[in-house]
Amino acid sequence: MSLQATFADFSVDPARLSNAVVRHDRAEFGGSHLTLGAGATVTLDFEVADPEDIPEATLTVTALVSRLGSAPGHAPIDVLIQGEALAENLTVPGGGDLPQDNVFAVPAGMLKPGTNTLEIRASAEARSTLRLYRITLDSIDERGASERALAALAARNSVFAYRTELRAAHDSSATSWQEAPRLVFHLDRDEHSLPAQLGWRGEDGTESAISFQSNMSDFHGCHRTADGTAYEYRGRLTGGWSFPEGLEETSAAGLHRFRTEEGHGGGWHSSHELRVLVDDGVAPVERVTWRDQRGNSGVVMLQTVPGEAATDARVADVEASDEFEEVGETADNLLNGSRSKWLAHDDAPQLHFTLAHSAVVTSYTLMSANDSPDRDPRDWTLEGSYDGRTWTRLDSRAGETFNSRFETREFRLRAPASGYRHYRLDITRNSGAIETQLARVRFVEGAVGRAFTGYYQRHNEGPIGYRGTPVPTPAPASAPLAIPAPLLAADLEAAVQSLTDTAQTLAALASRLRDS
């Protein structure tokens, strides 16, 4: 092959390169592209074995020009090969909204054996910036080879993270875009194909549908909130990784793994494992739809099924409407497992808990503190929230009492809470004191899992049934019971005191026996 697939993909840092060495001056990585200011240059060196075998080459430069307020930007470029102009003072079309493919025919006479040099120069008269996303170069006889090679390389990554923005529907102002939560997704059924389109519905009723650039650098789409308000939705790639890299704990908790079956020929047949994660920073998903770049598509609708044993949900943060900081009786003590406590100078305080990840809570426990039973909570409500702003009542209690100090009571929810990440305990009355206290609060994740039903459709074929059940999680190795150090120390001190009292009693008894 006289000209290998040649590309430079600037949507990631470092850039993905094939048959290319890149240098640049006064350009910098902008998160999903190279940003070129006035007078900046990008130079790409590539190898050609024998230009006589190349009747013509196709050069594609994918770029956009940033806007100047509400007006199109101005950042013309020159494109040169071996220092000879292929295009001069070219204005990239598009108005600064989406990257554009600018395609050039490269005559064979401009190529030479060995190292060739392509240079892109931003005009010194530029008044806005040029965003350079990628460069591809192919022989006309191997049209699209670089795009295919780049897609295959990019497909090694299946975990993607995007910085996102929302703008009210029908608002065309460039300044109306507002920052939105980060989007992390991973969808893999072992077909090594990147998604072209993705849609999902959250358990809170929100819906989103997006379409990607072929190199995954950007997406554009729409979003609807639970109250029906519609928004334009867009995102820029901030990272791509192979599974399971790039999954933070908050995102990994939303990952679903399924053993799958496909329905055709009158029966069900085992298929590849499916992994699905869509974390948009709002609510867990209940439905996901997709189409990949090969034209295959599918839909999965999640459903709750019996799962593994119940476990404690990990609380990442707790805030209280009031706490006794001067003596260390703060809300953090509710999480550490010791016999320290939280005390509020209020007979009706609130506690706001943020879990490390969304959890389906089936019960919660409260532990009374060390003294003053009249400080015990008596009436309260528990509420859950996806975003920490909109709350749903989950449980309400009145007239509750604790029979002893450091007593733990469990309260079951009538229906398992949806996958909320925020929980608010609103204590509306205590047992008569002007202060309120607790020693510990914990939340119990229910014994539930996720299965799905849906369909799958391969390119140019009819739809078939598609269903899945959770992949079993290996049971953790048994470990010794861990006792928090402060609690262990307190118990040992109590044991020592008890032994001392017993010894004193026995000594007194022995003295009386000697005297009798």
Side-chain angles (χ1 to χ4, degrees), residues 409-430:
R409 293 193 58 197
E410 182 174 11
F411 303 92
R412 294 190 173 276
L413 303 183
R414 291 179 176 83
S418 188
Y420 297 118
R421 193 179 175 199
H422 303 271
Y423 290 84
R424 183 167 67 188
L425 185 66
D426 185 8
I427 300 170
T428 53
R429 183 167 69 105
N430 65 13

PDB file of all heavy atoms in Angstrom, residues 409-430:
ATOM      1  N   ARG A 409     -33.383   0.642  66.373  1.00  0.00           N
ATOM      2  CA  ARG A 409     -34.692   0.241  65.876  1.00  0.00           C
ATOM      3  C   ARG A 409     -34.698   0.340  64.349  1.00  0.00           C
ATOM      4  O   ARG A 409     -34.175   1.300  63.765  1.00  0.00           O
ATOM      5  CB  ARG A 409     -35.790   1.134  66.448  1.00  0.00           C
ATOM      6  CG  ARG A 409     -35.985   0.982  67.953  1.00  0.00           C
ATOM      7  CD  ARG A 409     -37.284   1.651  68.383  1.00  0.00           C
ATOM      8  NE  ARG A 409     -38.424   1.067  67.659  1.00  0.00           N
ATOM      9  CZ  ARG A 409     -39.627   1.641  67.577  1.00  0.00           C
ATOM     10  NH1 ARG A 409     -39.839   2.817  68.153  1.00  0.00           N
ATOM     11  NH2 ARG A 409     -40.603   1.059  66.906  1.00  0.00           N
ATOM     12  N   GLU A 410     -35.274  -0.660  63.705  1.00  0.00           N
ATOM     13  CA  GLU A 410     -35.354  -0.685  62.242  1.00  0.00           C
ATOM     14  C   GLU A 410     -36.773  -0.330  61.804  1.00  0.00           C
ATOM     15  O   GLU A 410     -37.751  -0.809  62.374  1.00  0.00           O
ATOM     16  CB  GLU A 410     -34.984  -2.065  61.693  1.00  0.00           C
ATOM     17  CG  GLU A 410     -35.011  -2.127  60.167  1.00  0.00           C
ATOM     18  CD  GLU A 410     -34.506  -3.454  59.622  1.00  0.00           C
ATOM     19  OE1 GLU A 410     -34.325  -4.395  60.430  1.00  0.00           O
ATOM     20  OE2 GLU A 410     -34.290  -3.548  58.406  1.00  0.00           O
ATOM     21  N   PHE A 411     -36.872   0.487  60.770  1.00  0.00           N
ATOM     22  CA  PHE A 411     -38.156   0.916  60.236  1.00  0.00           C
ATOM     23  C   PHE A 411     -38.199   0.557  58.746  1.00  0.00           C
ATOM     24  O   PHE A 411     -37.390   1.045  57.956  1.00  0.00           O
ATOM     25  CB  PHE A 411     -38.336   2.431  60.431  1.00  0.00           C
ATOM     26  CG  PHE A 411     -38.227   2.858  61.868  1.00  0.00           C
ATOM     27  CD1 PHE A 411     -37.002   3.263  62.395  1.00  0.00           C
ATOM     28  CD2 PHE A 411     -39.339   2.825  62.700  1.00  0.00           C
ATOM     29  CE1 PHE A 411     -36.896   3.643  63.724  1.00  0.00           C
ATOM     30  CE2 PHE A 411     -39.232   3.202  64.036  1.00  0.00           C
ATOM     31  CZ  PHE A 411     -38.013   3.603  64.544  1.00  0.00           C
ATOM     32  N   ARG A 412     -39.132  -0.323  58.406  1.00  0.00           N
ATOM     33  CA  ARG A 412     -39.244  -0.785  57.021  1.00  0.00           C
ATOM     34  C   ARG A 412     -40.168   0.125  56.223  1.00  0.00           C
ATOM     35  O   ARG A 412     -41.196   0.578  56.719  1.00  0.00           O
ATOM     36  CB  ARG A 412     -39.753  -2.222  56.969  1.00  0.00           C
ATOM     37  CG  ARG A 412     -38.776  -3.221  57.575  1.00  0.00           C
ATOM     38  CD  ARG A 412     -39.186  -4.655  57.305  1.00  0.00           C
ATOM     39  NE  ARG A 412     -38.149  -5.567  57.752  1.00  0.00           N
ATOM     40  CZ  ARG A 412     -37.086  -5.904  57.026  1.00  0.00           C
ATOM     41  NH1 ARG A 412     -36.938  -5.396  55.812  1.00  0.00           N
ATOM     42  NH2 ARG A 412     -36.175  -6.742  57.497  1.00  0.00           N
ATOM     43  N   LEU A 413     -39.784   0.353  54.976  1.00  0.00           N
ATOM     44  CA  LEU A 413     -40.627   1.142  54.083  1.00  0.00           C
ATOM     45  C   LEU A 413     -41.718   0.240  53.516  1.00  0.00           C
ATOM     46  O   LEU A 413     -41.470  -0.941  53.213  1.00  0.00           O
ATOM     47  CB  LEU A 413     -39.796   1.742  52.950  1.00  0.00           C
ATOM     48  CG  LEU A 413     -38.610   2.616  53.380  1.00  0.00           C
ATOM     49  CD1 LEU A 413     -37.923   3.199  52.143  1.00  0.00           C
ATOM     50  CD2 LEU A 413     -39.045   3.713  54.315  1.00  0.00           C
ATOM     51  N   ARG A 414     -42.908   0.785  53.363  1.00  0.00           N
ATOM     52  CA  ARG A 414     -44.025  -0.015  52.835  1.00  0.00           C
ATOM     53  C   ARG A 414     -43.749  -0.483  51.417  1.00  0.00           C
ATOM     54  O   ARG A 414     -44.164  -1.565  51.010  1.00  0.00           O
ATOM     55  CB  ARG A 414     -45.322   0.800  52.903  1.00  0.00           C
ATOM     56  CG  ARG A 414     -45.802   1.038  54.337  1.00  0.00           C
ATOM     57  CD  ARG A 414     -47.069   1.863  54.371  1.00  0.00           C
ATOM     58  NE  ARG A 414     -47.578   2.019  55.724  1.00  0.00           N
ATOM     59  CZ  ARG A 414     -47.133   2.931  56.580  1.00  0.00           C
ATOM     60  NH1 ARG A 414     -46.179   3.770  56.200  1.00  0.00           N
ATOM     61  NH2 ARG A 414     -47.634   3.007  57.799  1.00  0.00           N
ATOM     62  N   ALA A 415     -43.051   0.341  50.639  1.00  0.00           N
ATOM     63  CA  ALA A 415     -42.617  -0.032  49.291  1.00  0.00           C
ATOM     64  C   ALA A 415     -41.159   0.398  49.158  1.00  0.00           C
ATOM     65  O   ALA A 415     -40.786   1.471  49.660  1.00  0.00           O
ATOM     66  CB  ALA A 415     -43.482   0.646  48.225  1.00  0.00           C
ATOM     67  N   PRO A 416     -40.285  -0.413  48.534  1.00  0.00           N
ATOM     68  CA  PRO A 416     -38.877  -0.024  48.409  1.00  0.00           C
ATOM     69  C   PRO A 416     -38.754   1.339  47.727  1.00  0.00           C
ATOM     70  O   PRO A 416     -39.459   1.642  46.766  1.00  0.00           O
ATOM     71  CB  PRO A 416     -38.276  -1.137  47.536  1.00  0.00           C
ATOM     72  CG  PRO A 416     -39.195  -2.299  47.720  1.00  0.00           C
ATOM     73  CD  PRO A 416     -40.560  -1.716  47.907  1.00  0.00           C
ATOM     74  N   ALA A 417     -37.879   2.184  48.274  1.00  0.00           N
ATOM     75  CA  ALA A 417     -37.633   3.485  47.656  1.00  0.00           C
ATOM     76  C   ALA A 417     -37.008   3.277  46.287  1.00  0.00           C
ATOM     77  O   ALA A 417     -36.222   2.352  46.079  1.00  0.00           O
ATOM     78  CB  ALA A 417     -36.698   4.310  48.537  1.00  0.00           C
ATOM     79  N   SER A 418     -37.371   4.126  45.351  1.00  0.00           N
ATOM     80  CA  SER A 418     -36.716   4.095  44.048  1.00  0.00           C
ATOM     81  C   SER A 418     -35.242   4.418  44.244  1.00  0.00           C
ATOM     82  O   SER A 418     -34.806   4.705  45.355  1.00  0.00           O
ATOM     83  CB  SER A 418     -37.390   5.095  43.116  1.00  0.00           C
ATOM     84  OG  SER A 418     -36.907   4.976  41.810  1.00  0.00           O
ATOM     85  N   GLY A 419     -34.456   4.386  43.188  1.00  0.00           N
ATOM     86  CA  GLY A 419     -33.011   4.548  43.319  1.00  0.00           C
ATOM     87  C   GLY A 419     -32.600   5.961  43.646  1.00  0.00           C
ATOM     88  O   GLY A 419     -31.924   6.630  42.850  1.00  0.00           O
ATOM     89  N   TYR A 420     -32.958   6.452  44.817  1.00  0.00           N
ATOM     90  CA  TYR A 420     -32.602   7.804  45.220  1.00  0.00           C
ATOM     91  C   TYR A 420     -31.162   7.842  45.742  1.00  0.00           C
ATOM     92  O   TYR A 420     -30.652   6.857  46.269  1.00  0.00           O
ATOM     93  CB  TYR A 420     -33.531   8.305  46.328  1.00  0.00           C
ATOM     94  CG  TYR A 420     -34.972   8.425  45.915  1.00  0.00           C
ATOM     95  CD1 TYR A 420     -35.961   7.664  46.529  1.00  0.00           C
ATOM     96  CD2 TYR A 420     -35.356   9.310  44.910  1.00  0.00           C
ATOM     97  CE1 TYR A 420     -37.287   7.777  46.159  1.00  0.00           C
ATOM     98  CE2 TYR A 420     -36.679   9.432  44.530  1.00  0.00           C
ATOM     99  CZ  TYR A 420     -37.646   8.661  45.155  1.00  0.00           C
ATOM    100  OH  TYR A 420     -38.951   8.774  44.783  1.00  0.00           O
ATOM    101  N   ARG A 421     -30.551   9.016  45.627  1.00  0.00           N
ATOM    102  CA  ARG A 421     -29.226   9.211  46.195  1.00  0.00           C
ATOM    103  C   ARG A 421     -29.267  10.117  47.427  1.00  0.00           C
ATOM    104  O   ARG A 421     -28.345  10.131  48.217  1.00  0.00           O
ATOM    105  CB  ARG A 421     -28.289   9.809  45.148  1.00  0.00           C
ATOM    106  CG  ARG A 421     -26.830   9.740  45.580  1.00  0.00           C
ATOM    107  CD  ARG A 421     -25.892  10.286  44.569  1.00  0.00           C
ATOM    108  NE  ARG A 421     -24.541  10.290  45.102  1.00  0.00           N
ATOM    109  CZ  ARG A 421     -23.550  11.022  44.635  1.00  0.00           C
ATOM    110  NH1 ARG A 421     -23.756  11.805  43.588  1.00  0.00           N
ATOM    111  NH2 ARG A 421     -22.360  10.979  45.179  1.00  0.00           N
ATOM    112  N   HIS A 422     -30.333  10.887  47.558  1.00  0.00           N
ATOM    113  CA  HIS A 422     -30.469  11.819  48.684  1.00  0.00           C
ATOM    114  C   HIS A 422     -31.646  11.387  49.561  1.00  0.00           C
ATOM    115  O   HIS A 422     -32.728  11.069  49.044  1.00  0.00           O
ATOM    116  CB  HIS A 422     -30.699  13.242  48.178  1.00  0.00           C
ATOM    117  CG  HIS A 422     -29.613  13.735  47.269  1.00  0.00           C
ATOM    118  ND1 HIS A 422     -28.489  14.377  47.733  1.00  0.00           N
ATOM    119  CD2 HIS A 422     -29.477  13.656  45.925  1.00  0.00           C
ATOM    120  CE1 HIS A 422     -27.711  14.689  46.718  1.00  0.00           C
ATOM    121  NE2 HIS A 422     -28.286  14.258  45.608  1.00  0.00           N
ATOM    122  N   TYR A 423     -31.441  11.404  50.878  1.00  0.00           N
ATOM    123  CA  TYR A 423     -32.491  11.063  51.839  1.00  0.00           C
ATOM    124  C   TYR A 423     -32.525  12.136  52.924  1.00  0.00           C
ATOM    125  O   TYR A 423     -31.472  12.566  53.420  1.00  0.00           O
ATOM    126  CB  TYR A 423     -32.245   9.678  52.448  1.00  0.00           C
ATOM    127  CG  TYR A 423     -32.453   8.565  51.442  1.00  0.00           C
ATOM    128  CD1 TYR A 423     -31.435   8.186  50.573  1.00  0.00           C
ATOM    129  CD2 TYR A 423     -33.687   7.922  51.341  1.00  0.00           C
ATOM    130  CE1 TYR A 423     -31.633   7.186  49.628  1.00  0.00           C
ATOM    131  CE2 TYR A 423     -33.893   6.923  50.399  1.00  0.00           C
ATOM    132  CZ  TYR A 423     -32.869   6.566  49.544  1.00  0.00           C
ATOM    133  OH  TYR A 423     -33.077   5.587  48.605  1.00  0.00           O
ATOM    134  N   ARG A 424     -33.741  12.571  53.293  1.00  0.00           N
ATOM    135  CA  ARG A 424     -33.900  13.624  54.289  1.00  0.00           C
ATOM    136  C   ARG A 424     -34.777  13.119  55.428  1.00  0.00           C
ATOM    137  O   ARG A 424     -35.903  12.683  55.207  1.00  0.00           O
ATOM    138  CB  ARG A 424     -34.510  14.860  53.635  1.00  0.00           C
ATOM    139  CG  ARG A 424     -34.645  16.053  54.572  1.00  0.00           C
ATOM    140  CD  ARG A 424     -34.950  17.324  53.799  1.00  0.00           C
ATOM    141  NE  ARG A 424     -36.272  17.292  53.180  1.00  0.00           N
ATOM    142  CZ  ARG A 424     -36.713  18.224  52.330  1.00  0.00           C
ATOM    143  NH1 ARG A 424     -35.909  19.224  51.972  1.00  0.00           N
ATOM    144  NH2 ARG A 424     -37.929  18.146  51.832  1.00  0.00           N
ATOM    145  N   LEU A 425     -34.222  13.173  56.646  1.00  0.00           N
ATOM    146  CA  LEU A 425     -34.966  12.805  57.845  1.00  0.00           C
ATOM    147  C   LEU A 425     -35.432  14.099  58.499  1.00  0.00           C
ATOM    148  O   LEU A 425     -34.621  14.884  59.009  1.00  0.00           O
ATOM    149  CB  LEU A 425     -34.088  12.003  58.798  1.00  0.00           C
ATOM    150  CG  LEU A 425     -34.780  11.448  60.049  1.00  0.00           C
ATOM    151  CD1 LEU A 425     -35.820  10.397  59.663  1.00  0.00           C
ATOM    152  CD2 LEU A 425     -33.755  10.861  61.015  1.00  0.00           C
ATOM    153  N   ASP A 426     -36.734  14.327  58.482  1.00  0.00           N
ATOM    154  CA  ASP A 426     -37.328  15.552  59.018  1.00  0.00           C
ATOM    155  C   ASP A 426     -38.012  15.212  60.342  1.00  0.00           C
ATOM    156  O   ASP A 426     -39.108  14.644  60.363  1.00  0.00           O
ATOM    157  CB  ASP A 426     -38.327  16.120  58.003  1.00  0.00           C
ATOM    158  CG  ASP A 426     -38.904  17.461  58.438  1.00  0.00           C
ATOM    159  OD1 ASP A 426     -38.421  18.012  59.444  1.00  0.00           O
ATOM    160  OD2 ASP A 426     -39.841  17.938  57.775  1.00  0.00           O
ATOM    161  N   ILE A 427     -37.352  15.529  61.455  1.00  0.00           N
ATOM    162  CA  ILE A 427     -37.888  15.245  62.793  1.00  0.00           C
ATOM    163  C   ILE A 427     -38.808  16.392  63.176  1.00  0.00           C
ATOM    164  O   ILE A 427     -38.375  17.539  63.313  1.00  0.00           O
ATOM    165  CB  ILE A 427     -36.743  15.090  63.812  1.00  0.00           C
ATOM    166  CG1 ILE A 427     -35.826  13.932  63.388  1.00  0.00           C
ATOM    167  CG2 ILE A 427     -37.303  14.847  65.215  1.00  0.00           C
ATOM    168  CD1 ILE A 427     -34.536  13.838  64.189  1.00  0.00           C
ATOM    169  N   THR A 428     -40.088  16.090  63.349  1.00  0.00           N
ATOM    170  CA  THR A 428     -41.064  17.149  63.619  1.00  0.00           C
ATOM    171  C   THR A 428     -41.407  17.281  65.102  1.00  0.00           C
ATOM    172  O   THR A 428     -41.980  18.285  65.519  1.00  0.00           O
ATOM    173  CB  THR A 428     -42.353  16.887  62.825  1.00  0.00           C
ATOM    174  OG1 THR A 428     -42.818  15.554  63.103  1.00  0.00           O
ATOM    175  CG2 THR A 428     -42.094  17.015  61.328  1.00  0.00           C
ATOM    176  N   ARG A 429     -41.036  16.260  65.923  1.00  0.00           N
ATOM    177  CA  ARG A 429     -41.279  16.348  67.364  1.00  0.00           C
ATOM    178  C   ARG A 429     -40.378  15.340  68.071  1.00  0.00           C
ATOM    179  O   ARG A 429     -40.160  14.232  67.564  1.00  0.00           O
ATOM    180  CB  ARG A 429     -42.758  16.041  67.680  1.00  0.00           C
ATOM    181  CG  ARG A 429     -43.138  16.191  69.171  1.00  0.00           C
ATOM    182  CD  ARG A 429     -44.660  16.191  69.350  1.00  0.00           C
ATOM    183  NE  ARG A 429     -45.237  14.893  69.061  1.00  0.00           N
ATOM    184  CZ  ARG A 429     -45.676  14.053  70.005  1.00  0.00           C
ATOM    185  NH1 ARG A 429     -45.597  14.383  71.279  1.00  0.00           N
ATOM    186  NH2 ARG A 429     -46.230  12.893  69.659  1.00  0.00           N
ATOM    187  N   ASN A 430     -39.831  15.749  69.236  1.00  0.00           N
ATOM    188  CA  ASN A 430     -39.084  14.780  70.032  1.00  0.00           C
ATOM    189  C   ASN A 430     -39.885  14.443  71.293  1.00  0.00           C
ATOM    190  O   ASN A 430     -41.086  14.712  71.369  1.00  0.00           O
ATOM    191  CB  ASN A 430     -37.676  15.302  70.347  1.00  0.00           C
ATOM    192  CG  ASN A 430     -37.686  16.530  71.228  1.00  0.00           C
ATOM    193  OD1 ASN A 430     -38.705  16.887  71.821  1.00  0.00           O
ATOM    194  ND2 ASN A 430     -36.533  17.198  71.322  1.00  0.00           N
TER     195      ASN A 430
END
